[in-house]
Amino acid sequence: MAEANGPLAGLTVIDVTHMLSGPYCTWLLGALGANVIKIEHPQRGDMTRSIAPFHEGQSLYFGSVNRNKRSVGLDLKTGQGKDIFRHMASSADILVENNRPGVMDRLGLGFEDLRALNERLIFASISGFGQTGPYRTRPAFDAVIQAMSGMMSITGEPGGGPVRVGASIGDITASLFGAVGILAALQERSRTGRGTLVDVSMLDAQVAILENAFSRFLNTGQVPQRIGSRHPLVTPFQAFMAEDAPLVICCDTDQQWRALCRVLALHDLPEDPRFADGTARTANHPALEQILAEALGKRPRAEWLALFEEADVPAGPLNSIADSAEDAQLAARKMFVEVGSARFTAAPIRMASLEAHEERPAPEKGADGPSVLAEYGYSETEIASFRAAGVI
């Protein structure tokens, strides 16, 4: 194995994840330098390997979130497979799994089982509903979580139907909170010498990022509704149409609001009592939206954006994915990286220790089994016997 760079170099992660909510977490740990060993079924592998589109025979879905990992095909339902897994876990720093609660325990590979072998092991479980509660054993996918959390109820245009957020934020948010929990557990372990169980629920994580919507409801009884691109509390804070293309304007302060009015030559607007402050502007947003839309429709987007930048008004183009892929700022930040022969988004973290770190392509199924097992002390004869028995 090539020597890793990054803040997590030297840490070994056993990855028992599939689909998205777990693999995104372990991709990030690998991008930060951890040695990530992905455990897959010897025959089936991670089911996302079969999801189109493909690049040079590999699923782009799988390839994106399984970079920086090595793959070991290991049948955890066999006695030998479990023994090998226990041996690997006995010296690992972190284990991440996203099976339904109870699966790892039934295999005899749960937190308590492995803690008996390795008290320093951090055992992170990412699941739809967490390890406790009446829903704990239910299956869950991103859209189910977006629906149950309330996210879909506030996403979409007024009067329209519920809309799923366009990215899989149910999965990815849980992965990010999982990574935060793991890093916190590492810090705790540095003090106590002991690992711990990190329990992250997709539903909990989605509710956590709905903080504003829930704080308003829990304290005022107001039920948030779909309001399109608008912000519920700040106005103007939404998408508008310029003469030729859409843009977004966000004015959070009185200074920004007055600067916007100057650029749009709406000099009397700041003195209009309907728009005197943020609360008034939000209460009277239909009238204000009509006035701003009419003004913005008189010039092309590029002209407006140049004027807004000069006046320090927060604004930007409403880009397509294709537009963003060519954005100069993202290029300067190296947010799109070549990994092997494919291109993916990069980890959005800049640190001196990551400057020399290069991401590695996602592995072929079980491709690293022999070399990884050799690192754990298994002989060529033993590895050959595991393969013959279908264990690896």
Side-chain angles (χ1 to χ4, degrees):
M1 181 184 67
E3 185 174 347
N5 299 296
L8 300 186
L11 295 175
T12 294
V13 178
I14 305 297
D15 177 357
V16 199
T17 70
H18 57 283
M19 295 300 287
L20 182 56
S21 66
Y24 194 94
C25 173
T26 48
W27 158 68
L28 182 58
L29 298 177
L32 295 175
N35 167 33
V36 181
I37 301 171
K38 184 178 178 72
I39 305 298
E40 300 184 72
H41 189 277
Q43 285 76 48
R44 296 190 300 272
D46 188 321
M47 66 181 68
T48 59
R49 287 184 179 274
S50 64
I51 296 178
F54 298 90
H55 176 78
E56 297 187 353
Q58 186 178 79
S59 164
L60 287 170
Y61 187 136
F62 178 85
S64 176
V65 296
N66 286 285
R67 290 170 273 167
N68 313 308
K69 305 177 185 182
R70 294 185 291 166
S71 172
V72 175
L74 188 61
D75 189 344
L76 297 181
K77 292 186 177 180
T78 66
Q80 284 185 316
K82 292 177 182 178
D83 287 342
I84 294 170
F85 186 85
R86 291 187 185 103
H87 180 51
M88 296 172 69
S90 68
S91 60
D93 296 285
I94 301 158
L95 184 148
V96 185
E97 61 94 15
N98 67 332
N99 299 287
R100 289 198 214 183
V103 168
M104 297 297 284
D105 291 325
R106 289 194 294 273
L107 290 171
L109 304 173
F111 172 61
E112 295 296 341
D113 301 302
L114 298 182
R115 182 166 66 171
L117 303 174
N118 179 2
E119 69 171 3
R120 290 178 57 81
L121 181 68
I122 294 163
F123 192 109
S125 292
I126 300 171
S127 60
F129 302 100
Q131 302 300 304
T132 59
Y135 303 162
R136 62 187 294 271
T137 60
R138 289 187 186 181
F141 285 91
D142 176 76
V144 172
I145 296 303
Q146 288 199 35
M148 292 182 68
S149 66
M151 179 64 76
M152 288 176 66
S153 76
I154 62 169
T155 305
E157 293 297 327
V163 176
R164 173 186 173 271
V165 175
S168 297
I169 59 171
D171 293 289
I172 292 173
T173 303
S175 272
L176 294 175
F177 277 114
V180 171
I182 288 166
L183 297 178
L186 284 169
Q187 177 65 18
E188 183 179 68
R189 190 181 73 176
S190 71
R191 297 195 309 270
T192 67
R194 296 187 301 275
T196 191
L197 174 65
V198 177
D199 171 13
V200 175
S201 151
M202 290 170 64
L203 182 61
D204 293 352
Q206 201 66 187
V207 167
I209 67 167
L210 285 165
E211 47 76 35
N212 181 278
F214 276 103
S215 66
R216 282 183 286 134
F217 169 71
L218 294 172
N219 294 285
T220 70
Q222 175 191 356
V223 180
Q225 302 294 320
R226 289 182 285 279
I227 57 174
S229 65
R230 284 201 307 113
H231 191 283
L233 305 176
V234 183
T235 304
F237 200 105
Q238 66 185 93
F240 291 96
M241 190 69 191
E243 185 179 61
D244 59 338
L247 74 166
V248 167
I249 298 170
C250 301
C251 294
D252 188 47
T253 67
D254 188 64
Q255 181 180 3
Q256 292 166 352
W257 160 242
R258 290 180 176 275
L260 172 66
C261 292
R262 286 196 300 272
V263 172
L264 297 178
L266 298 172
H267 302 293
D268 295 334
L269 212 56
E271 311 312 319
D272 189 319
R274 295 175 298 170
F275 314 128
D277 56 28
T279 301
R281 290 193 292 275
T282 297
N284 295 288
H285 74 84
L288 178 58
E289 186 174 337
Q290 184 176 352
I291 294 168
L292 297 180
E294 183 178 344
L296 288 162
K298 295 177 181 179
R299 289 194 185 199
R301 180 172 72 181
E303 291 185 18
W304 284 128
L305 291 176
L307 291 169
F308 291 150
E309 183 174 2
E310 184 179 354
D312 205 29
V313 174
L318 201 163
N319 285 337
S320 67
I321 297 297
D323 295 330
S324 289
E326 301 299 325
D327 187 89
Q329 175 67 19
L330 294 174
R333 297 284 292 176
K334 299 179 180 178
M335 273 306 300
F336 304 107
V337 294
E338 289 191 11
V339 184
S341 62
R343 295 180 72 208
F344 298 105
T345 56
I349 299 170
R350 302 290 173 265
M351 297 174 63
S353 60
L354 289 172
E355 290 179 1
H357 181 76
E358 292 187 8
E359 294 204 64
R360 293 174 286 107
E364 295 299 321
K365 182 181 65 179
D368 304 292
S371 61
V372 169
L373 294 185
E375 291 173 12
Y376 282 92
Y378 292 101
S379 68
E380 290 185 10
T381 301
E382 288 174 308
I383 294 170
S385 71
F386 297 151
R387 187 183 298 279
V391 174
I392 66 170

